Amino acid sequence: MFSFFKKKFPFHSNAAPSSPAAEEPSGASAPAAASISAPAPLAEPAKPTAAKPPGTDPGATPERKGWLAKLKASLGKTASGISSVFGGARIDPALFEELESALLMADAGVAATEFLTENLRKYAKTQGTSDPAALKEALLDALTALLLPLQKTLFIGQHQPTVVMVTGVNGAGKTTSIGKLTRHLADSGATVLLAAADTFRAAAREQLSIWADRNTVEIISQEGADPAAVSFDAVSAGKARNKDVVLIDTAGRLPTQLHLMEELKKIKRVIQKADPSAPHEVLLVIDGNTGQNALAQVRAFDDALGLTGLIVTKLDGTAKGGVLAAIARERPIPVYFIGVGEKLDELQTFNAREFAQALLS
Ligand SMILES: Nc1nc2c(ncn2[C@@H]2O[C@H](COP(=O)(O)OP(=O)(O)O)[C@@H](O)[C@H]2O)c(=O)[nH]1
Ligand SMILES: [Mg+2]
């Protein structure tokens, strides 16, 4: 079993106790997540000839395996585009040019594309290899190493409550992802308070409560109210009611809508008034189909708010997936979760090596 969240100490609620393996020794600093199905990836792109861990962990849950299969199928087109570059008999300058084009077409962006191709050129030179298949293996390692800083587990339980602010453009998947996270949190025994700070949409509350177990989850919402006021009330109520987690769903906005970005900063400031240590996480939800625009969103929201994590949704659509390499190279903010569909199981934790494999095979 992999765990969705790392807990600093067991939740106080009366739900089923979590397995000891899921607990983090108190005082430990947040390590890169190693709790999910794939074995630890190789850290060094410079040693691509080292033994390769197998693909899917045989101990992975059926949900994880199904999710991974869906991710691989979705990114299959990107994978065959990149793989075809290595189909020839030898390594020549044309191969590197084709690789550059394939990576750019996969949304990896200029910086990550140059980084990866340079890495491979050096590898080919120092190893004196002429085998394209070996070069493809080296790419898998280099890509895994590039993505590794994004692999991190969301910590819950260090603060009471852990306040999580969720942001993103309209339709990115904020409310859906919050719903899924709420269910996962409630299932693992955490008490959750939701703040419907998307006060413009009457449907927001219903949309949230579809996911929520009404016995363990409460929602603070006030239609038409100031989103910052709703957030303040939610954090105050979360403290008073001793909740484990407060999830704040905000209204969608474009980074170019400056007044709305100011409103988001105000929400953050007001949350701090209710709890000076909060928000403990500021998440940006990005639609995987938006390609390089996703990187622009990451930059803008990070500049405005100081992001602590990302959720990348809709990697089941036409998404090419390479944007994670671009993010890793230019704004390495942890990717806590990846969504490949609308169902509960279709939001899973991010693993660098698994993702690199899905992009390449
Ligand atoms: N295919 C797919 N659809 C998703 C995913 N996540 C969210 N959606 C859908 O995207 C639409 C917008 O989601 P919503 O959560 O309302 O976005 P919000 O405006 O950011 O709150 C809804 O129809 C969701 O069901 C995903 O991972 N895959
Ligand atoms: Mg919403």
Side-chain angles (χ1 to χ4, degrees):
M1 248 316 252
F2 71 95
S3 62
F4 245 73
F5 313 98
K6 289 248 169 128
K7 301 165 210 163
K8 277 288 176 188
F9 24 78
F11 295 124
H12 57 71
S13 75
N14 52 10
S18 52
S19 80
E23 316 302 351
E24 193 65 24
S26 61
S29 61
S35 55
I36 35 181
S37 51
L42 302 170
E44 295 244 326
K47 291 180 194 160
T49 48
K52 303 291 178 303
T56 311
D57 181 351
T61 61
E63 289 82 21
R64 182 76 183 180
K65 285 182 184 161
W67 175 85
L68 204 54
K70 196 162 179 194
L71 181 70
K72 278 193 174 153
S74 308
L75 300 181
K77 216 170 159 196
T78 298
S80 56
I82 298 175
S83 293
S84 68
V85 170
F86 301 97
R90 62 196 180 91
I91 297 172
D92 56 15
L95 184 154
F96 290 104
E97 271 170 40
E98 280 169 36
L99 179 61
E100 258 174 21
S101 310
L103 289 171
L104 287 173
M105 272 165 60
D107 286 335
V110 174
T113 295
E114 281 178 359
F115 173 79
L116 290 168
T117 34
E118 261 325 292
N119 202 303
L120 288 201
R121 277 198 180 96
K122 273 185 207 145
Y123 170 78
K125 215 177 212 172
T126 54
Q127 300 293 312
T129 182
S130 56
D131 177 13
L135 203 61
K136 191 184 168 196
E137 284 300 305
L139 177 61
L140 175 61
D141 288 324
L143 188 57
T144 302
L146 178 65
L147 294 174
L148 202 55
L150 307 187
Q151 181 182 312
K152 209 178 154 211
T153 306
L154 180 61
F155 272 83
I156 297 295
Q158 245 174 325
H159 304 271
Q160 184 90 29
T162 297
V163 178
V164 182
M165 185 176 162
V166 181
T167 67
V169 305
N170 244 335
K174 293 180 294 300
T175 307
T176 310
S177 299
I178 286 176
K180 292 174 186 170
L181 291 182
T182 301
R183 270 283 289 280
H184 283 291
L185 281 163
D187 287 351
S188 70
T191 51
V192 181
L193 186 92
L194 298 172
D198 182 353
T199 53
F200 305 111
R201 291 181 56 234
R205 184 193 168 118
E206 291 87 280
Q207 204 187 342
L208 278 177
S209 50
I210 288 168
W211 293 96
D213 172 351
R214 274 158 238 229
N215 296 320
T216 46
V217 179
E218 291 165 41
I219 301 177
I220 302 270
S221 78
Q222 207 185 332
E223 215 184 310
D226 175 21
V230 171
S231 306
F232 181 88
D233 287 351
V235 175
S236 305
K239 283 169 77 173
R241 298 179 201 171
N242 232 7
K243 297 291 178 192
D244 294 311
V245 186
V246 174
L247 289 172
I248 300 172
D249 188 15
T250 63
R253 67 207 65 225
L254 291 172
T256 47
Q257 294 171 307
L258 292 180
H259 62 293
L260 289 176
M261 291 305 276
E262 284 308 315
E263 182 187 271
L264 217 45
K265 288 193 219 171
K266 182 179 161 195
I267 293 177
K268 190 181 174 192
R269 282 197 306 274
V270 170
I271 288 171
Q272 276 160 350
K273 285 191 184 145
D275 177 351
S277 72
H280 308 104
E281 299 283 350
V282 182
L283 308 186
L284 176 69
V285 179
I286 47 182
D287 176 340
N289 292 290
T290 47
Q292 283 294 291
N293 190 259
L295 182 62
Q297 288 169 21
V298 171
R299 283 202 197 99
F301 280 82
D302 188 36
D303 288 345
L305 298 166
L307 297 175
T308 61
L310 305 174
I311 298 176
V312 184
T313 63
K314 307 192 194 183
L315 283 171
D316 51 316
T318 56
K320 295 171 187 159
V323 71
L324 266 74
I327 291 170
R329 191 65 188 150
E330 298 182 52
R331 276 297 157 111
I333 295 167
V335 175
Y336 287 135
F337 305 102
I338 298 266
V340 298
E342 303 182 45
K343 293 207 274 305
L344 179 67
D345 291 340
E346 290 171 337
L347 190 76
Q348 295 279 334
T349 49
F350 169 75
N351 176 277
R353 190 159 194 100
E354 277 179 356
F355 198 85
Q357 280 170 333
L359 268 180
L360 297 182
S361 54

